[in-house]
Amino acid sequence: MSKTIAGFSKLSKSKKIDWIVDTYFSDAEDAKEILKQYWNSNIKLQQLHDEFIENTITNYYLPLGVAPNFLINNKLYTIPMAIEESSVVAAASKAAKFWLERGGFKTKVIATTKIGQVHFIYQGNFEKLKQFFTQVKSKLIDDTEAITRNMKKRGGGIIDIELRDKSSSINNYYQLHASFETLDAMGANFINSCLEQFAKTFKQEALQFALFSKEEKQIDIVMSILSNYVPDCLVRAEVSCPIEDLSENDTISGEDFANKFIQAVNIAEIEPYRAVTHNKGVMNGIDAVVLATGNDFRAVEAGVHAYAARNGSYSSLTHAKIENGIFTFWTELPLALGTVGGLTGLHPLVKLALELLHKPSAKELMQIVAVAGLAQNFAALRSLTTTGIQQGHMKMHLMNILNQFEANDDEKLALTEHFKTNPVTHSAVTEALTKLRSNSEK
Ligand code: MEV
Protein backbone atom coordinates (compact mmCIF):
# COMPACT_ATOMS: atom_id res chain seq x y z
CA MET A 1 0.00 0.00 0.00
CA SER A 2 1.27 3.48 -0.88
CA LYS A 3 1.63 5.99 1.94
CA THR A 4 2.59 9.63 2.15
CA ILE A 5 5.82 10.86 3.74
CA ALA A 6 6.79 14.27 5.12
CA GLY A 7 10.33 15.60 4.72
CA PHE A 8 11.42 12.96 2.17
CA SER A 9 13.81 15.36 0.42
CA LYS A 10 15.68 15.92 3.72
CA LEU A 11 16.44 12.22 4.22
CA SER A 12 19.87 10.86 3.31
CA LYS A 13 20.12 8.84 0.10
CA SER A 14 20.23 5.54 1.97
CA LYS A 15 17.23 6.47 4.13
CA LYS A 16 15.30 7.43 0.98
CA ILE A 17 16.09 4.05 -0.52
CA ASP A 18 15.09 2.27 2.69
CA TRP A 19 11.73 4.01 2.67
CA ILE A 20 11.13 3.25 -1.03
CA VAL A 21 12.03 -0.43 -0.87
CA ASP A 22 10.18 -1.03 2.39
CA THR A 23 7.06 0.76 1.17
CA TYR A 24 6.74 -0.52 -2.38
CA PHE A 25 8.56 -3.82 -2.83
CA SER A 26 7.69 -7.34 -1.75
CA ASP A 27 11.40 -8.21 -1.78
CA ALA A 28 13.07 -5.12 -0.34
CA GLU A 29 16.60 -6.59 -0.41
CA ASP A 30 16.27 -7.53 -4.08
CA ALA A 31 15.00 -4.06 -5.03
CA LYS A 32 17.87 -2.49 -3.08
CA GLU A 33 20.37 -4.69 -4.89
CA ILE A 34 19.06 -3.58 -8.31
CA LEU A 35 19.32 0.08 -7.33
CA LYS A 36 22.86 -0.55 -6.07
CA GLN A 37 23.95 -2.30 -9.27
CA TYR A 38 23.42 0.94 -11.16
CA TRP A 39 25.45 3.11 -8.77
CA ASN A 40 28.89 4.10 -9.87
CA SER A 41 31.69 2.82 -7.65
CA ASN A 42 33.57 6.05 -8.36
CA ILE A 43 32.21 8.10 -5.46
CA LYS A 44 32.92 11.49 -7.04
CA LEU A 45 31.21 10.50 -10.29
CA GLN A 46 28.22 9.15 -8.42
CA GLN A 47 27.98 12.32 -6.37
CA LEU A 48 28.01 14.36 -9.58
CA HIS A 49 25.04 12.38 -10.87
CA ASP A 50 23.28 12.50 -7.51
CA GLU A 51 23.41 16.27 -7.66
CA PHE A 52 22.04 16.72 -11.19
CA ILE A 53 18.51 16.31 -9.80
CA GLU A 54 16.71 15.92 -6.49
CA ASN A 55 15.89 12.71 -4.62
CA THR A 56 18.32 10.63 -6.72
CA ILE A 57 18.20 6.97 -5.73
CA THR A 58 20.35 5.50 -8.51
CA ASN A 59 21.30 6.05 -12.18
CA TYR A 60 19.18 5.16 -15.18
CA TYR A 61 21.37 3.94 -18.03
CA LEU A 62 20.73 4.34 -21.75
CA PRO A 63 23.12 2.84 -24.29
CA LEU A 64 25.45 5.32 -26.01
CA GLY A 65 26.05 4.17 -29.58
CA VAL A 66 27.90 5.78 -32.48
CA ALA A 67 27.07 6.13 -36.17
CA PRO A 68 30.22 6.66 -38.25
CA ASN A 69 30.76 7.90 -41.84
CA PHE A 70 28.64 11.04 -41.76
CA LEU A 71 30.01 13.45 -44.34
CA ILE A 72 28.62 16.90 -43.54
CA ASN A 73 29.77 19.85 -45.66
CA ASN A 74 32.80 17.75 -46.65
CA LYS A 75 33.82 17.06 -43.03
CA LEU A 76 33.59 13.53 -41.58
CA TYR A 77 31.79 12.88 -38.31
CA THR A 78 31.06 9.92 -36.10
CA ILE A 79 27.80 10.82 -34.39
CA PRO A 80 27.12 9.79 -30.77
CA MET A 81 23.56 8.63 -30.07
CA ALA A 82 21.98 7.89 -26.68
CA ILE A 83 18.86 5.83 -27.30
CA GLU A 84 17.17 2.66 -26.12
CA GLU A 85 15.46 1.67 -29.40
CA SER A 86 17.11 -1.04 -31.50
CA SER A 87 17.69 -0.35 -35.21
CA VAL A 88 18.02 3.44 -34.86
CA VAL A 89 21.83 3.55 -34.73
CA ALA A 90 22.08 0.88 -37.43
CA ALA A 91 19.69 2.86 -39.65
CA ALA A 92 21.66 6.09 -39.12
CA SER A 93 24.92 4.33 -39.98
CA LYS A 94 23.40 2.83 -43.11
CA ALA A 95 22.05 6.19 -44.30
CA ALA A 96 25.41 7.84 -43.55
CA LYS A 97 27.24 5.26 -45.68
CA PHE A 98 24.68 5.55 -48.50
CA TRP A 99 25.10 9.34 -48.71
CA LEU A 100 28.87 9.21 -48.13
CA GLU A 101 29.07 7.60 -51.55
CA ARG A 102 26.82 10.29 -53.05
CA GLY A 103 28.41 13.54 -51.88
CA GLY A 104 27.29 13.57 -48.25
CA PHE A 105 24.99 15.99 -46.42
CA LYS A 106 24.89 19.73 -47.05
CA THR A 107 23.70 21.96 -44.21
CA LYS A 108 23.34 25.61 -43.27
CA VAL A 109 22.11 27.57 -40.29
CA ILE A 110 19.36 29.92 -41.44
CA ALA A 111 18.90 31.92 -38.19
CA THR A 112 19.71 31.69 -34.47
CA THR A 113 17.22 34.02 -32.76
CA LYS A 114 15.54 32.87 -29.53
CA ILE A 115 12.46 34.31 -27.88
CA GLY A 116 11.34 35.11 -24.34
CA GLN A 117 8.22 36.83 -23.04
CA VAL A 118 7.02 38.78 -20.04
CA HIS A 119 3.26 38.19 -19.80
CA PHE A 120 1.40 40.93 -17.94
CA ILE A 121 -1.99 42.43 -17.18
CA TYR A 122 -2.54 46.16 -17.66
CA GLN A 123 -5.91 47.78 -17.01
CA GLY A 124 -5.99 50.90 -19.09
CA ASN A 125 -5.46 52.80 -22.28
CA PHE A 126 -3.20 51.06 -24.85
CA GLU A 127 -1.90 54.33 -26.35
CA LYS A 128 -0.56 55.31 -22.91
CA LEU A 129 1.00 51.86 -22.49
CA LYS A 130 2.76 52.32 -25.85
CA GLN A 131 4.11 55.69 -24.74
CA PHE A 132 5.31 54.19 -21.48
CA PHE A 133 7.01 51.30 -23.31
CA THR A 134 8.78 53.67 -25.73
CA GLN A 135 10.07 55.69 -22.78
CA VAL A 136 11.16 52.72 -20.65
CA LYS A 137 12.58 50.42 -23.38
CA SER A 138 16.21 51.58 -23.12
CA LYS A 139 16.08 51.32 -19.30
CA LEU A 140 14.76 47.77 -19.60
CA ILE A 141 17.89 46.93 -21.58
CA ASP A 142 20.28 49.00 -19.43
CA ASP A 143 19.07 47.34 -16.22
CA THR A 144 20.13 43.91 -17.52
CA GLU A 145 23.74 45.13 -17.99
CA ALA A 146 25.18 42.86 -15.27
CA ILE A 147 23.47 39.83 -16.85
CA THR A 148 24.30 40.64 -20.48
CA ARG A 149 27.86 42.01 -20.15
CA ASN A 150 29.73 38.79 -20.97
CA MET A 151 27.29 37.69 -23.65
CA LYS A 152 27.59 41.12 -25.32
CA LYS A 153 31.41 40.92 -25.27
CA ARG A 154 31.14 37.69 -27.26
CA GLY A 155 28.72 39.22 -29.78
CA GLY A 156 25.36 38.11 -28.38
CA GLY A 157 22.73 39.57 -26.07
CA ILE A 158 19.30 41.15 -26.34
CA ILE A 159 18.30 41.83 -29.94
CA ASP A 160 15.02 43.65 -29.38
CA ILE A 161 11.96 44.01 -27.15
CA GLU A 162 8.49 44.58 -28.57
CA LEU A 163 5.26 45.45 -26.82
CA ARG A 164 2.47 43.13 -27.98
CA ASP A 165 -1.24 43.71 -27.49
CA LYS A 166 -3.01 40.40 -26.78
CA SER A 167 -6.09 41.98 -25.20
CA SER A 168 -8.38 40.76 -28.00
CA SER A 169 -7.70 37.17 -26.85
CA ILE A 170 -7.61 37.72 -23.06
CA ASN A 171 -8.90 40.91 -21.42
CA ASN A 172 -6.08 43.32 -20.47
CA TYR A 173 -3.34 40.86 -21.49
CA TYR A 174 -0.10 42.24 -23.01
CA GLN A 175 3.44 41.00 -23.56
CA LEU A 176 7.00 42.15 -23.70
CA HIS A 177 8.15 39.93 -26.55
CA ALA A 178 11.95 39.86 -26.56
CA SER A 179 14.45 38.32 -28.96
CA PHE A 180 17.93 37.13 -28.04
CA GLU A 181 21.18 35.86 -29.54
CA THR A 182 22.76 33.42 -27.11
CA LEU A 183 25.68 32.15 -29.27
CA ASP A 184 26.99 28.77 -28.03
CA ALA A 185 24.67 28.64 -25.01
CA MET A 186 21.18 27.19 -25.24
CA GLY A 187 20.44 30.34 -23.28
CA ALA A 188 17.54 29.37 -21.03
CA ASN A 189 19.14 30.82 -17.87
CA PHE A 190 20.38 33.91 -19.65
CA ILE A 191 17.00 34.63 -21.25
CA ASN A 192 15.00 33.95 -18.08
CA SER A 193 17.29 36.19 -16.01
CA CYS A 194 16.91 39.03 -18.53
CA LEU A 195 13.12 38.57 -18.60
CA GLU A 196 12.80 38.66 -14.82
CA GLN A 197 14.82 41.88 -14.77
CA PHE A 198 12.63 43.39 -17.54
CA ALA A 199 9.56 42.52 -15.47
CA LYS A 200 10.99 44.14 -12.34
CA THR A 201 12.01 47.36 -14.11
CA PHE A 202 8.75 47.52 -16.06
CA LYS A 203 6.62 47.20 -12.93
CA GLN A 204 8.70 49.69 -10.92
CA GLU A 205 8.86 52.32 -13.67
CA ALA A 206 5.10 52.10 -14.26
CA LEU A 207 4.57 53.36 -10.71
CA GLN A 208 6.41 56.60 -11.65
CA PHE A 209 4.88 57.16 -15.13
CA ALA A 210 3.04 60.48 -14.92
CA LEU A 211 0.48 59.77 -17.67
CA PHE A 212 -0.79 56.60 -15.99
CA SER A 213 -3.84 56.72 -13.73
CA LYS A 214 -3.61 55.07 -10.31
CA GLU A 215 -5.08 51.87 -11.75
CA GLU A 216 -2.84 51.90 -14.85
CA LYS A 217 0.25 52.17 -12.64
CA GLN A 218 -0.51 48.75 -11.14
CA ILE A 219 0.97 46.47 -13.82
CA ASP A 220 0.48 42.85 -12.81
CA ILE A 221 3.25 40.53 -14.02
CA VAL A 222 1.84 37.04 -14.68
CA MET A 223 5.12 35.35 -15.60
CA SER A 224 8.47 35.80 -17.34
CA ILE A 225 9.79 32.84 -19.32
CA LEU A 226 11.63 31.91 -22.50
CA SER A 227 9.71 30.28 -25.33
CA ASN A 228 10.73 26.84 -26.58
CA TYR A 229 9.06 27.73 -29.86
CA VAL A 230 12.03 28.91 -31.91
CA PRO A 231 10.94 29.23 -35.56
CA ASP A 232 13.76 31.76 -36.06
CA CYS A 233 16.45 29.43 -34.74
CA LEU A 234 16.43 27.36 -37.89
CA VAL A 235 18.75 24.93 -39.63
CA ARG A 236 18.55 23.25 -43.03
CA ALA A 237 20.04 19.87 -43.99
CA GLU A 238 19.81 18.21 -47.37
CA VAL A 239 21.07 15.41 -49.56
CA SER A 240 20.86 15.21 -53.34
CA CYS A 241 22.07 13.10 -56.25
CA PRO A 242 21.11 12.17 -59.81
CA ILE A 243 18.13 9.79 -59.60
CA GLU A 244 19.97 6.95 -61.33
CA ASP A 245 22.52 6.98 -58.48
CA LEU A 246 19.79 6.08 -55.98
CA SER A 247 19.67 2.49 -57.13
CA GLU A 248 21.89 0.18 -55.08
CA ASN A 249 20.89 -3.12 -56.65
CA ASP A 250 18.78 -4.38 -59.53
CA THR A 251 15.59 -4.85 -57.50
CA ILE A 252 14.36 -1.26 -58.05
CA SER A 253 15.48 1.48 -60.46
CA GLY A 254 16.63 4.82 -59.10
CA GLU A 255 13.63 6.51 -60.71
CA ASP A 256 11.08 4.10 -59.22
CA PHE A 257 12.73 4.40 -55.83
CA ALA A 258 12.71 8.22 -55.98
CA ASN A 259 9.06 8.37 -57.05
CA LYS A 260 7.90 6.03 -54.32
CA PHE A 261 10.00 7.83 -51.73
CA ILE A 262 8.53 11.19 -52.75
CA GLN A 263 5.02 9.73 -52.54
CA ALA A 264 5.76 8.64 -48.97
CA VAL A 265 6.95 12.16 -48.10
CA ASN A 266 3.93 13.73 -49.81
CA ILE A 267 1.61 11.54 -47.72
CA ALA A 268 3.31 12.76 -44.53
CA GLU A 269 2.93 16.34 -45.79
CA ILE A 270 -0.87 16.12 -46.03
CA GLU A 271 -1.90 13.35 -43.57
CA PRO A 272 -1.38 14.09 -39.85
CA TYR A 273 -1.73 10.42 -38.80
CA ARG A 274 1.23 9.58 -41.00
CA ALA A 275 3.07 12.85 -40.32
CA VAL A 276 3.29 12.13 -36.59
CA THR A 277 4.93 8.72 -37.16
CA HIS A 278 7.11 10.11 -39.96
CA ASN A 279 8.33 12.87 -37.64
CA LYS A 280 8.75 10.40 -34.78
CA GLY A 281 11.32 8.72 -37.03
CA VAL A 282 13.05 12.08 -37.57
CA MET A 283 13.08 12.60 -33.79
CA ASN A 284 14.67 9.15 -33.29
CA GLY A 285 17.80 10.66 -34.79
CA ILE A 286 17.44 14.13 -33.31
CA ASP A 287 16.70 13.16 -29.70
CA ALA A 288 19.50 10.61 -29.59
CA VAL A 289 22.14 13.23 -30.47
CA VAL A 290 20.47 15.94 -28.39
CA LEU A 291 20.57 13.62 -25.38
CA ALA A 292 24.14 12.43 -26.01
CA THR A 293 25.32 16.05 -26.17
CA GLY A 294 23.60 17.03 -22.92
CA ASN A 295 20.89 19.16 -24.48
CA ASP A 296 17.25 19.48 -23.46
CA PHE A 297 15.34 17.04 -25.65
CA ARG A 298 11.94 18.05 -24.20
CA ALA A 299 12.54 21.64 -25.33
CA VAL A 300 13.62 20.44 -28.77
CA GLU A 301 10.64 18.07 -29.08
CA ALA A 302 8.11 20.75 -28.08
CA GLY A 303 9.62 23.32 -30.44
CA VAL A 304 9.96 20.97 -33.39
CA HIS A 305 6.38 19.68 -33.19
CA ALA A 306 4.97 23.20 -32.86
CA TYR A 307 6.95 24.08 -35.99
CA ALA A 308 5.55 21.02 -37.79
CA ALA A 309 2.05 22.41 -37.11
CA ARG A 310 2.85 26.05 -37.91
CA ASN A 311 0.54 26.21 -40.94
CA GLY A 312 -2.47 25.02 -38.95
CA SER A 313 -2.19 21.32 -39.72
CA TYR A 314 0.47 18.93 -38.41
CA SER A 315 2.80 18.09 -41.31
CA SER A 316 6.07 16.47 -42.35
CA LEU A 317 9.37 17.93 -41.19
CA THR A 318 11.08 16.63 -44.32
CA HIS A 319 10.47 17.25 -48.02
CA ALA A 320 11.62 15.69 -51.29
CA LYS A 321 11.57 16.52 -54.99
CA ILE A 322 13.03 15.61 -58.37
CA GLU A 323 14.17 18.52 -60.53
CA ASN A 324 16.15 18.13 -63.76
CA GLY A 325 16.89 14.50 -62.93
CA ILE A 326 18.23 15.36 -59.47
CA PHE A 327 16.62 13.89 -56.35
CA THR A 328 16.74 16.23 -53.35
CA PHE A 329 15.62 15.37 -49.82
CA TRP A 330 15.74 18.04 -47.12
CA THR A 331 14.56 19.30 -43.77
CA GLU A 332 14.29 22.68 -42.08
CA LEU A 333 14.08 22.47 -38.33
CA PRO A 334 14.05 24.80 -35.34
CA LEU A 335 16.75 23.68 -32.89
CA ALA A 336 17.82 25.63 -29.80
CA LEU A 337 21.00 23.88 -28.68
CA GLY A 338 24.04 24.67 -26.58
CA THR A 339 27.63 23.48 -26.50
CA VAL A 340 28.55 25.50 -23.40
CA GLY A 341 26.77 25.74 -20.07
CA GLY A 342 24.25 23.32 -18.58
CA LEU A 343 25.32 19.67 -18.61
CA THR A 344 27.89 20.24 -21.38
CA GLY A 345 30.71 21.08 -19.00
CA LEU A 346 29.60 18.77 -16.20
CA HIS A 347 28.68 15.33 -17.51
CA PRO A 348 31.83 13.38 -18.48
CA LEU A 349 30.02 11.46 -21.25
CA VAL A 350 28.58 14.67 -22.68
CA LYS A 351 32.09 16.16 -22.78
CA LEU A 352 33.27 13.01 -24.54
CA ALA A 353 30.42 13.16 -27.06
CA LEU A 354 31.23 16.79 -27.86
CA GLU A 355 34.91 15.99 -28.32
CA LEU A 356 33.95 13.13 -30.63
CA LEU A 357 32.07 15.74 -32.70
CA HIS A 358 35.24 17.94 -32.94
CA LYS A 359 34.00 20.25 -30.13
CA PRO A 360 31.31 21.94 -32.24
CA SER A 361 29.88 25.41 -31.81
CA ALA A 362 26.11 25.50 -31.18
CA LYS A 363 25.63 26.32 -34.87
CA GLU A 364 27.67 23.27 -35.92
CA LEU A 365 25.74 21.10 -33.49
CA MET A 366 22.44 22.33 -34.97
CA GLN A 367 23.66 21.10 -38.36
CA ILE A 368 24.83 17.72 -37.05
CA VAL A 369 21.55 17.13 -35.21
CA ALA A 370 19.48 18.08 -38.28
CA VAL A 371 21.53 15.62 -40.34
CA ALA A 372 20.88 12.84 -37.80
CA GLY A 373 17.13 13.53 -38.15
CA LEU A 374 17.23 13.60 -41.94
CA ALA A 375 19.35 10.42 -42.11
CA GLN A 376 17.00 8.61 -39.79
CA ASN A 377 13.97 9.60 -41.85
CA PHE A 378 15.75 8.59 -45.06
CA ALA A 379 16.53 5.16 -43.64
CA ALA A 380 12.98 4.66 -42.36
CA LEU A 381 11.33 5.70 -45.65
CA ARG A 382 13.78 3.61 -47.65
CA SER A 383 12.84 0.51 -45.65
CA LEU A 384 9.13 1.31 -45.55
CA THR A 385 8.84 1.86 -49.30
CA THR A 386 10.93 -1.19 -50.24
CA THR A 387 11.25 -4.18 -47.88
CA GLY A 388 9.07 -2.88 -45.01
CA ILE A 389 10.62 -2.20 -41.61
CA GLN A 390 9.69 -5.34 -39.75
CA GLN A 391 12.27 -7.55 -41.46
CA GLY A 392 15.25 -5.53 -40.22
CA HIS A 393 13.57 -4.44 -37.03
CA MET A 394 12.64 -7.91 -35.84
CA LYS A 395 16.17 -9.20 -36.42
CA MET A 396 17.40 -6.54 -34.01
CA HIS A 397 14.46 -7.23 -31.75
CA LEU A 398 15.46 -10.91 -31.67
CA MET A 399 18.48 -10.02 -29.55
CA ASN A 400 16.29 -8.10 -27.09
CA ILE A 401 13.95 -11.07 -26.72
CA LEU A 402 16.88 -13.48 -26.28
CA ASN A 403 18.41 -11.22 -23.65
CA GLN A 404 15.08 -11.08 -21.88
CA PHE A 405 15.25 -14.90 -21.60
CA GLU A 406 18.92 -14.74 -20.58
CA ALA A 407 19.99 -16.81 -23.59
CA ASN A 408 23.67 -17.81 -23.54
CA ASP A 409 26.11 -17.23 -26.44
CA ASP A 410 25.52 -20.67 -28.00
CA GLU A 411 21.75 -20.23 -27.88
CA LYS A 412 22.07 -16.75 -29.43
CA LEU A 413 24.23 -18.13 -32.25
CA ALA A 414 21.86 -21.01 -33.00
CA LEU A 415 18.73 -18.87 -32.95
CA THR A 416 20.24 -16.01 -34.99
CA GLU A 417 20.97 -18.65 -37.64
CA HIS A 418 17.47 -20.12 -37.35
CA PHE A 419 15.76 -16.71 -37.68
CA LYS A 420 17.73 -15.77 -40.79
CA THR A 421 15.12 -17.74 -42.70
CA ASN A 422 12.14 -17.64 -40.30
CA PRO A 423 9.96 -14.67 -39.34
CA VAL A 424 10.78 -13.25 -35.90
CA THR A 425 7.82 -12.99 -33.55
CA HIS A 426 7.87 -13.02 -29.77
CA SER A 427 6.08 -16.36 -29.64
CA ALA A 428 8.26 -17.93 -32.38
CA VAL A 429 11.42 -16.97 -30.45
CA THR A 430 10.01 -18.27 -27.17
CA GLU A 431 9.05 -21.54 -28.84
CA ALA A 432 12.40 -22.00 -30.61
CA LEU A 433 14.35 -21.26 -27.42
CA THR A 434 12.25 -23.66 -25.35
CA LYS A 435 12.78 -26.36 -27.98
CA LEU A 436 16.52 -25.73 -28.13
CA ARG A 437 16.79 -25.89 -24.35
CA SER A 438 14.76 -29.06 -24.06
CA ASN A 439 16.84 -30.69 -26.83
CA SER A 440 20.08 -29.83 -25.09
CA GLU A 441 18.78 -31.31 -21.82
CA LYS A 442 18.24 -34.71 -23.50
C1 MEV B 1 10.08 3.77 -35.50
O1 MEV B 1 10.73 4.15 -34.31
C2 MEV B 1 10.09 4.92 -36.48
C3 MEV B 1 9.31 4.67 -37.80
O2 MEV B 1 7.98 4.29 -37.49
C4 MEV B 1 9.33 5.97 -38.54
C5 MEV B 1 8.47 5.99 -39.77
O3 MEV B 1 7.46 5.27 -39.83
O4 MEV B 1 8.80 6.78 -40.68
C6 MEV B 1 9.95 3.59 -38.58
Side-chain angles (χ1 to χ4, degrees):
M1 255 303 259
S2 294
K3 53 183 181 184
T4 57
I5 178 169
F8 182 76
S9 65
K10 299 199 177 60
L11 298 179
S12 68
K13 182 174 173 180
S14 73
K15 288 266 180 310
K16 281 177 188 145
I17 291 173
D18 285 345
W19 184 81
I20 292 283
V21 297
D22 291 341
T23 309
Y24 291 97
F25 294 87
S26 51
D27 188 340
E29 279 315 303
D30 185 52
K32 214 178 208 177
E33 197 46 44
I34 294 173
L35 291 174
K36 249 192 193 160
Q37 275 169 10
Y38 285 86
W39 287 355
N40 202 294
S41 54
N42 177 332
I43 294 171
K44 271 181 103 175
L45 194 63
Q46 185 52 53
Q47 199 177 346
L48 183 75
H49 283 71
D50 285 354
E51 289 170 5
F52 284 151
I53 60 165
E54 309 75 35
N55 296 343
T56 308
I57 55 169
T58 190
N59 306 307
Y60 184 95
Y61 292 173
L62 282 182
L64 178 70
V66 291
N69 297 320
F70 271 97
L71 187 64
I72 306 175
N73 299 339
N74 298 321
K75 188 167 167 185
L76 267 173
Y77 292 86
T78 292
I79 299 190
M81 303 177 83
I83 187 160
E84 85 301 343
E85 184 176 331
S86 61
S87 302
V88 170
V89 177
S93 307
K94 226 169 144 187
K97 184 103 192 306
F98 183 92
W99 286 106
L100 176 70
E101 288 151 12
R102 291 161 181 80
F105 294 80
K106 300 282 180 272
T107 60
K108 75 168 187 243
V109 170
I110 297 167
T112 55
T113 302
K114 289 160 189 163
I115 299 296
Q117 298 170 317
V118 177
H119 306 268
F120 66 94
I121 301 295
Y122 161 78
Q123 325 244 8
N125 177 290
F126 183 52
E127 286 309 313
K128 280 203 248 171
L129 183 65
K130 277 206 289 197
Q131 279 182 42
F132 169 60
F133 174 70
T134 308
Q135 184 180 300
V136 82
K137 186 171 171 181
S138 58
K139 183 161 174 51
L140 292 178
I141 294 174
D142 292 348
D143 283 1
T144 60
E145 165 61 19
I147 308 163
T148 57
R149 195 175 305 131
N150 283 338
M151 190 66 90
K152 277 199 297 204
K153 263 192 224 150
R154 284 182 272 131
I158 300 159
I159 300 170
D160 196 14
I161 315 175
E162 287 168 38
L163 173 69
R164 291 199 171 175
D165 179 359
K166 298 294 221 178
S167 61
S168 60
S169 305
I170 297 180
N171 283 345
N172 308 317
Y173 167 39
Y174 300 87
Q175 297 169 347
L176 296 179
H177 182 96
S179 46
F180 300 86
E181 169 54 62
T182 62
L183 306 170
D184 284 337
M186 191 264 193
N189 273 335
F190 173 77
I191 294 174
N192 289 335
S193 300
C194 289
L195 293 171
E196 287 190 5
Q197 184 57 54
F198 293 162
K200 208 166 148 192
T201 303
F202 200 66
K203 195 172 167 59
Q204 269 167 7
E205 292 298 310
L207 295 172
Q208 323 291 332
F209 190 59
L211 295 181
F212 278 163
S213 68
K214 208 171 156 214
E215 201 178 31
E216 287 167 335
K217 282 185 170 149
Q218 298 304 320
I219 283 180
D220 185 16
I221 305 292
V222 180
M223 59 189 158
S224 309
I225 187 74
L226 93 165
S227 172
N228 290 124
Y229 185 43
V230 283
D232 290 318
C233 189
L234 209 61
V235 58
R236 180 184 168 98
E238 74 166 53
V239 283
S240 66
C241 72
I243 45 174
E244 58 274 16
D245 292 357
L246 285 168
S247 173
E248 268 202 310
N249 49 44
D250 294 336
T251 54
I252 184 163
S253 74
E255 188 172 2
D256 287 348
F257 171 79
N259 285 328
K260 207 149 176 218
F261 190 96
I262 291 171
Q263 271 172 350
V265 174
N266 289 342
I267 291 169
E269 283 169 338
I270 60 106
E271 166 54 61
Y273 278 96
R274 173 56 201 151
V276 171
T277 318
H278 178 99
N279 290 349
K280 188 274 182 188
V282 175
M283 299 315 287
N284 277 345
I286 290 184
D287 281 343
V289 190
V290 168
L291 206 52
T293 56
N295 275 279
D296 182 343
F297 64 91
R298 287 87 54 210
V300 168
E301 281 276 347
V304 166
H305 294 300
Y307 186 76
R310 71 193 178 285
N311 295 326
S313 168
Y314 191 87
S315 179
S316 172
L317 292 163
T318 60
H319 309 282
K321 65 176 182 190
I322 300 173
E323 237 171 51
N324 304 323
I326 304 290
F327 168 82
T328 306
F329 177 50
W330 76 97
T331 186
E332 275 181 20
L333 289 167
L335 290 172
L337 301 174
T339 53
V340 299
L343 269 197
T344 57
L346 277 180
H347 197 303
L349 272 180
V350 168
K351 285 200 247 175
L352 185 135
L354 288 170
E355 191 167 345
L356 177 65
L357 290 173
H358 314 293
K359 300 194 176 155
S361 64
K363 276 185 173 177
E364 282 160 345
L365 186 60
M366 285 167 76
Q367 297 170 74
I368 295 165
V369 170
V371 163
L374 189 71
Q376 205 60 46
N377 188 229
F378 179 79
L381 294 187
R382 191 155 176 255
S383 297
L384 286 168
T385 56
T386 55
T387 56
I389 58 156
Q390 282 312 84
Q391 190 186 319
H393 200 81
M394 290 315 279
K395 292 252 156 71
M396 297 287 283
H397 193 48
L398 172 63
M399 244 348 115
N400 287 348
I401 304 173
L402 291 176
N403 283 334
Q404 193 187 324
F405 286 109
E406 296 180 357
N408 63 32
D409 288 349
D410 289 344
E411 289 169 340
K412 281 182 184 167
L413 209 65
L415 292 181
T416 306
E417 200 48 42
H418 173 77
F419 281 105
K420 272 189 183 153
T421 48
N422 290 287
V424 179
T425 65
H426 199 277
S427 58
V429 176
T430 316
E431 208 174 290
L433 186 61
T434 314
K435 200 162 151 201
L436 188 71
R437 284 180 174 170
S438 73
N439 282 346
S440 63
E441 271 167 19
K442 284 178 192 159

